[in-house]
Amino acid sequence: MTDKSASFVYVTYIRTTPDKVFEAITKPDLARRYWGHENISHDWRPGSSWQHVRTDEARTVDLVGEVIESDPPRRLVISWANESQKDDPDQYSRVTFDIEPQGDMVKLTVTHDELQPDSGMLNGISKGWPLVLSSMKSFLETGKGMDL
């Protein structure tokens, strides 16, 4: 049995609305502007697949998964795996986006769990999520994301 006890949690406050945060995660044209990738799903409903696709000419699929829970604009839960490891169930982790209004701001909590301790995925997302979410915050507050 694979140990999947590791997790990573990141909380940020963004001066925007819950709808705009949810759209920034799920609308490919918006994610492209702060992430350099598009998050693509047919309908973002439970059971639907999703892909994390580079915006370069090759349109490489880096990550894949399934929508586990979707309650726009409050919550989105997805499974997450490297495309190259998609056939190995032990390689999937889970990402939960909790979006809560806080006055004229939104509290966004991203929990990435069901990770293998000391794995490459844990190492990568521990560096990646703070960059991506800081870029999202900049994009939603100023219209310009960071160059990632």
Side-chain angles (χ1 to χ4, degrees):
M1 183 171 169
T2 302
D3 179 2
K4 296 176 85 173
S5 63
S7 63
F8 179 86
V9 179
Y10 189 90
V11 178
T12 189
Y13 291 83
I14 307 171
R15 195 170 305 280
T16 191
T17 66
D19 286 319
K20 288 183 179 177
V21 171
F22 197 88
E23 288 175 356
I25 297 164
T26 60
K27 301 271 187 209
D29 58 317
L30 296 179
R32 173 188 319 123
R33 294 176 60 194
Y34 69 88
W35 205 330
H37 284 75
E38 297 176 348
N39 294 320
I40 300 171
S41 175
H42 174 67
D43 60 10
W44 292 104
R45 290 187 162 160
S48 295
S49 63
W50 77 276
Q51 296 181 324
H52 189 63
V53 181
R54 290 184 194 184
T55 58
D56 60 10
E57 286 184 27
R59 307 273 307 149
T60 305
V61 176
D62 285 337
L63 300 164
V64 297
E66 184 175 298
V67 178
I68 298 168
E69 183 182 338
S70 183
D71 183 16
R74 291 177 281 284
R75 185 173 168 91
L76 178 66
V77 183
I78 57 177
S79 63
W80 174 289
N82 284 317
E83 203 281 333
S84 63
Q85 297 174 315
K86 68 183 178 186
D87 295 327
D88 182 353
D90 284 338
Q91 298 306 312
Y92 280 82
S93 55
R94 179 178 60 194
V95 178
T96 302
F97 300 91
D98 285 309
I99 304 164
E100 303 171 56
Q102 300 276 312
D104 65 343
M105 295 185 295
V106 169
K107 177 183 178 187
L108 172 61
T109 304
V110 176
T111 305
H112 197 146
D113 60 2
E114 298 183 1
L115 291 156
Q116 296 176 28
D118 302 317
S119 66
M121 180 64 77
L122 177 59
N123 183 50
I125 63 101
S126 295
K127 295 173 184 165
W129 277 124
L131 283 170
V132 167
L133 297 172
S134 294
S135 186
M136 176 198 282
K137 176 180 172 63
S138 294
F139 170 68
L140 289 171
E141 291 181 346
T142 71
K144 183 164 174 25
M146 300 180 331
D147 294 328
L148 300 182

